[in-house]
Amino acid sequence: MNKTINKITSVALSATTVVWLTGAAALMPIAANAQSVQDQIQSLLAQIATLQAQLSSMQGSTATTSSVSCNFTRSLTMGSKGDDVMCLQKYLNSAGHQVASSGAGSPGNETSYFGSLTKTAVIKWQNANASTVLAPVGLSAGTGYFGPSSRSAYASMVASSPGTPSTPSTPGAGVPSGSLTYSLAADNPASSNIPKGASEVAFMKLAVSGSGTVDSLKFKRTGLGATADFVSSGIKLYEGSTRLTTGKSVNGTSHEVIFPNLKLDVSGLRTIALTSDISSSATAGNINAFELIEINGEALASPIKGNSMNIGGASVGTVTVAKVGSQPSNPTVGEVGAKLTEFKVTAGTVEDVEVRRIVLTDTGSITNGYLTNLVMRQAGNVVATTAGVTGRDMFVFELDSPFKVLKGQNRSFEVIGDISPLAKKGDSVDLYMDLTNDAHVTGLTYGYGVTVTNSFTSALNHTALTLQGAEITITFNGPNARDIAKDAQDVTLFDFSIATKNNVEIKSIGLLTSTTGLSASTQGFADFKLVDAATGAAVTTSVDIANNTSSTQTFTDVINIAAGTTRRFLATADVDTNNPADSTIKVTLTQFAGTDIRNLDNNQDVEIEDIVPNAKIVGNAQTVQTPGLAVTLAGSPPAHNIVAGNTNEKLLGFNMKASSGDIKVTQIAISVDAGTGTDAQAQNDLRTIGLYVDNQLISEKKNLASITSANQATFSQVNYTVPDGQTKTVEVRADLIATDATNTASYFAYLDAGDGSTAADITATDADGNTVVPSGGNVNGSVGSAGSITVTVATSI
């Protein structure tokens, strides 16, 4: 684009010069040439006008468009290092969110280190593009973590930008080959020092544009290094986080590495990275680079060369990926949430590490499309999902946030997924890690991929799981034993799924309900029924369960399930407000009889042995409790000094813990009093205060000059829900400490409406809108009597 503009400018300048010279000649008294000269002048003036219009148009189209195009293959956060960090800084600087105005990180001085300045710039960019970056993950403000959501938003913005060229801005001229053009990508790795043992080091990034197919690529190692600097079978091609090839070795004689049979279709632009694992015994000081020398069997007259990399003297840390002792049991056709594999990651003693990506290959006989909704969990929490199987039978799990493992420690991960009812009995599922750096783990000392020992290969992993056959498969989904709230509506008491190979109708289904702690004066559990989990619609009539009973509720409403599908059902009921605390209800799905389910494809009843499991399924006890919100003093902040002129000073922290259901808080009253000094001084020194949870403002801000004589500021615009069983810490913060604040004056914030408790200070309701009275004594004092947390004004640090 810039070359074109320069060319137009040059042509316009030349044309203007010609006109000036021709105009001078026109002053000469040569009548015979006068008309000819005038025609030339008019023609050149017209060309100038056209060229100036083009120049103006092109300058206008590039004035607001960033020319920086990056290919982010990993998430970036504080401490990240690499060329992708530098490219991110260049993008932020060009997009109006400067990393720095001068020095390191400023335009033209971008660095490869992700520090606090980069984090601040990322936050500004995230906030400026909140609908695209933050909304999909439910955040209201940027975090500075450039993760999957930010990377996806960046890619969509660059792709949709009218000024972004269809081919990349590259360091060198593109090499045409057939209908495709090959060149170094804009974020081609810069030269750097690489520690020994580093894995998945990018040596070159190729931008391939046009329309056609990449069948094979041949690279050659160059520089004052050696083939022994590279791990055998450690050279691979990647596109983003997707591995395109198996590992290749550098030929010891020719120093070449060939990737045949790629069959990569290109329509537009694809970026391919050449990565390598560095040997732990590589020679320090050796210099290596790779150049592309052949495309689709045709040698290049001018190879495309990446930058040189220097082998450093330090060595990266290590991790080992291995199976755990106890492997999952064989799952069933149609099973929902089946455990498919489990492994552990153990960090060595050199570096703390972060697990960023795990790639698992399935060589079982099952059609991989029949494995859906796969998630990776750690300690029961989902840490990664996958878009599904890619080429080469791989499932790529990119962690939403890097998972940290301290050196010397290990953490176990499990993979859970759904198995289609269309899968066959006897099919196998065999998930394992094919190559060593299918675990992409970064060391936190050097910032490179660590050396991976793979003890989770096809030879070393668990025995392949074999699917157990069934025409009908029933899966229990919970809930676990828990507290349920009085007066709650449509509470889930039992959750299960039914998968079927054929079109069936359920003619009869029995649910055994067992209750304890009820009496004749209570209503028990009303409106007990089955609902479709996907639609919320009732699929059976309802019954009431009163008093202490243990009886089977038999529903004869016909329920249809289509062939090859799974339907999920919930047994729900309303909890009476008079049910005693600690009363319980437990639901059991009774065993189906041979006449309960009809196969509509052959008009025959489904045999009991074709229903798995062929037994009753016992649910967990649900215990009635009154929804509660416990309020206590938090451990942070402690008593401390606040500095005149400072912003965002913490005055008080208090905990809110919800029980027996989510609790919605709509109003909080905070009192502020002077320990030493006066209320007027407090109003001047502290100015405005607000309430924060997890660094997010959850209230309006209050000017202390407008509070009542009881020193109480009522925040009526709180709309915050404390999840059941969780504790959330609310921080009372002052926006700005006055520059003329009274030196040594002390103040304290507290909750106490004068009754010695928090009951009147916090307004809350349960999930059904019923009033919840918070529990807990006064928090940090009362009128005229300070608690343990006070803040003292200091005019300097």
Side-chain angles (χ1 to χ4, degrees):
M1 181 72 76
N2 291 336
K3 291 181 179 179
T4 306
I5 292 175
N6 291 338
K7 182 178 179 181
I8 292 173
T9 304
S10 177
V11 171
L13 180 59
S14 299
T16 305
T17 304
V18 171
V19 171
W20 176 74
L21 292 172
T22 308
L27 296 176
M28 298 179 183
I30 306 176
N33 294 332
Q35 185 59 47
S36 175
V37 170
Q38 187 63 33
D39 290 343
Q40 292 180 40
I41 293 173
Q42 293 302 320
S43 175
L44 288 169
L45 288 172
Q47 289 183 47
I48 291 171
T50 300
L51 292 168
Q52 286 177 332
Q54 292 179 16
L55 176 62
S56 176
S57 173
M58 296 180 78
Q59 287 174 329
S61 68
T62 60
T64 59
T65 302
S66 168
S67 62
V68 179
S69 177
C70 306
N71 181 27
F72 296 110
T73 60
R74 58 171 179 156
S75 298
L76 302 176
T77 187
M78 287 280 286
S80 295
K81 301 175 184 177
D83 298 318
D84 46 1
V85 175
M86 180 178 289
C87 197
L88 174 62
Q89 290 184 358
K90 290 180 178 179
Y91 167 69
L92 292 169
N93 285 337
S94 66
H97 307 287
Q98 283 195 5
V99 177
S101 57
S102 62
S106 63
N109 296 297
E110 289 85 1
T111 73
S112 59
Y113 179 73
F114 193 121
S116 59
L117 294 177
T118 307
K119 178 179 179 180
T120 299
V122 170
I123 290 174
K124 291 178 181 177
W125 174 79
Q126 289 171 332
N127 291 338
N129 300 280
S131 61
T132 306
V133 184
L134 304 178
V137 291
L139 294 175
S140 58
T143 62
Y145 173 63
F146 197 78
S149 179
S150 294
R151 290 159 54 195
S152 175
Y154 163 82
S156 66
M157 283 187 280
V158 169
S160 63
S161 174
T164 301
S166 59
T167 57
S169 173
T170 61
V175 175
S177 177
S179 57
L180 296 173
T181 298
Y182 299 74
S183 58
L184 292 176
D187 58 342
N188 182 63
S191 296
S192 63
N193 293 321
I194 304 171
K196 292 184 288 187
S199 64
E200 211 168 313
V201 177
F203 271 75
M204 179 191 293
K205 286 188 180 179
L206 282 174
V208 185
S209 59
S211 180
T213 301
V214 182
D215 288 321
S216 67
L217 297 173
K218 181 188 288 186
F219 298 86
K220 184 174 183 178
R221 190 210 66 81
T222 64
L224 301 176
T227 58
D229 292 331
F230 302 94
V231 173
S232 176
S233 301
I235 315 292
K236 293 169 286 294
L237 295 182
Y238 275 85
E239 183 174 29
S241 60
T242 300
R243 176 165 56 81
L244 301 176
T245 66
T246 57
K248 304 293 182 181
S249 298
V250 182
N251 185 285
T253 302
S254 67
H255 292 234
E256 294 174 351
V257 56
I258 304 173
F259 295 96
N261 304 316
L262 292 174
K263 296 182 175 60
L264 298 177
D265 293 327
V266 179
S267 180
L269 171 67
R270 295 183 71 169
T271 301
I272 302 171
L274 174 75
T275 72
S276 178
D277 299 342
I278 307 301
S279 171
S280 59
S281 58
T283 302
N286 275 7
I287 299 174
N288 295 280
F290 283 91
E291 59 184 19
L292 178 64
I293 62 172
E294 186 178 289
I295 299 172
N296 295 346
E298 295 183 6
L300 300 182
S302 299
I304 300 175
K305 184 176 180 179
N307 291 312
S308 298
M309 306 293 175
N310 180 66
I311 305 296
S315 296
V316 296
T318 62
V319 296
T320 300
V321 182
K323 66 178 181 180
V324 297
S326 176
Q327 288 299 305
S329 57
N330 290 324
T332 305
V333 171
E335 186 172 344
V336 176
K339 186 174 179 179
L340 303 177
T341 192
E342 187 171 9
F343 59 93
K344 65 180 178 180
V345 175
T346 303
T349 59
V350 175
E351 295 181 270
D352 294 340
V353 301
E354 285 184 340
V355 181
R356 296 176 178 270
R357 182 174 69 246
I358 297 289
V359 180
L360 297 179
T361 299
D362 177 34
T363 55
S365 60
I366 189 173
T367 299
N368 280 322
Y370 290 163
L371 295 176
T372 58
N373 300 321
L374 270 64
V375 299
M376 185 173 292
R377 302 193 309 198
Q378 202 288 319
N381 299 312
V382 174
V383 295
T385 58
T386 178
V389 67
T390 67
R392 313 185 69 85
D393 298 322
M394 296 184 301
F395 291 91
V396 179
F397 293 90
E398 184 103 14
L399 275 70
D400 297 329
S401 298
F403 188 89
K404 187 174 182 178
V405 182
L406 300 179
K407 53 188 177 184
Q409 296 187 359
N410 67 75
R411 292 292 182 269
S412 295
F413 300 83
E414 62 182 6
V415 175
I416 306 296
D418 299 341
I419 301 173
S420 170
L422 297 177
K424 295 182 298 183
K425 176 183 178 180
D427 276 350
S428 60
V429 179
D430 195 7
L431 287 167
Y432 59 90
M433 206 168 77
D434 187 28
L435 300 181
T436 54
N437 55 18
D438 277 348
H440 182 53
V441 183
T442 302
L444 295 181
T445 301
Y446 299 112
Y448 283 89
V450 300
T451 300
V452 178
T453 298
N454 184 11
S455 297
F456 194 55
T457 66
S458 57
L460 299 173
N461 75 325
H462 62 83
T463 303
L465 305 179
T466 302
L467 298 188
Q468 306 302 296
E471 185 175 332
I472 301 290
T473 301
I474 304 171
T475 305
F476 174 60
N477 305 319
N480 295 326
R482 58 177 182 153
D483 292 338
I484 56 176
K486 289 184 180 182
D487 207 27
Q489 308 295 304
D490 295 322
V491 176
T492 297
L493 306 176
F494 191 87
D495 180 343
F496 66 104
S497 301
I498 299 180
T500 175
K501 281 182 172 294
N502 307 300
N503 294 296
V504 300
E505 66 176 17
I506 299 175
K507 298 181 291 183
S508 178
I509 189 168
L511 296 173
L512 173 66
T513 57
S514 303
T515 61
T516 66
L518 302 180
S519 65
S521 62
T522 59
Q523 296 299 313
F525 302 89
D527 194 28
F528 179 75
K529 61 185 180 297
L530 278 181
V531 301
D532 186 298
T535 65
V539 296
T540 68
T541 54
S542 63
V543 296
D544 294 337
I545 301 170
N547 301 327
N548 289 326
T549 60
S550 182
S551 60
T552 299
Q553 319 300 325
T554 302
F555 299 100
T556 56
D557 309 80
V558 174
I559 302 173
N560 289 289
I561 307 177
T565 65
T566 301
R567 287 188 72 179
R568 184 176 176 181
F569 302 100
L570 309 175
T572 68
D574 300 339
V575 184
D576 187 66
T577 190
N578 293 319
N579 284 357
D582 297 322
S583 57
T584 67
I585 182 171
K586 182 166 65 176
V587 177
T588 298
L589 177 65
T590 62
Q591 183 177 4
F592 283 98
T595 57
D596 288 342
I597 304 178
R598 188 82 167 174
N599 183 335
L600 298 179
D601 295 333
N602 60 18
N603 204 32
Q604 299 291 318
D605 289 332
V606 177
E607 300 290 340
I608 296 176
E609 54 267 25
D610 289 327
I611 303 173
V612 176
N614 187 11
K616 64 182 179 181
I617 299 176
V618 181
N620 297 305
Q622 310 296 299
T623 304
V624 177
Q625 297 290 354
T626 302
L629 184 70
V631 183
T632 57
L633 181 66
S636 177
H640 63 288
N641 289 342
I642 55 176
V643 180
N646 270 12
T647 60
N648 205 31
E649 286 277 15
K650 298 176 183 179
L651 307 180
L652 174 69
F654 60 92
N655 299 320
M656 300 191 301
K657 181 179 180 179
S659 60
S660 303
D662 296 348
I663 303 297
K664 182 178 180 180
V665 178
T666 56
Q667 181 172 292
I668 299 177
I670 300 294
S671 298
V672 179
D673 209 341
T676 61
T678 66
D679 290 347
Q681 289 173 341
Q683 292 169 348
N684 172 76
D685 294 353
L686 304 181
R687 302 291 172 88
T688 60
I689 60 175
L691 307 180
Y692 294 78
V693 175
D694 296 331
N695 291 319
Q696 302 295 319
L697 183 68
I698 65 166
S699 70
E700 74 272 35
K701 293 183 179 181
K702 285 290 184 179
N703 188 330
L704 292 184
S706 64
I707 64 176
T708 66
S709 58
N711 299 338
Q712 192 173 74
T714 301
F715 296 89
S716 58
Q717 297 177 27
V718 178
N719 185 17
Y720 185 79
T721 298
V722 183
D724 181 24
Q726 294 189 24
T727 299
K728 292 296 182 179
T729 300
V730 180
E731 293 178 338
V732 182
R733 300 184 186 180
D735 266 8
L736 173 66
I737 307 303
T739 55
D740 61 347
T742 308
N743 191 34
T744 72
S746 67
Y747 308 109
F748 62 99
Y750 59 97
L751 286 84
D752 181 15
D755 59 356
S757 73
T758 60
D761 296 275
I762 298 178
T763 302
T765 58
D766 63 18
D768 294 296
N770 303 302
T771 298
V772 173
V773 178
S775 63
N778 60 358
V779 174
N780 200 43
S782 57
V783 177
S785 178
S788 59
I789 309 302
T790 59
V791 293
T792 303
V793 175
T795 54
S796 62
I797 298 177

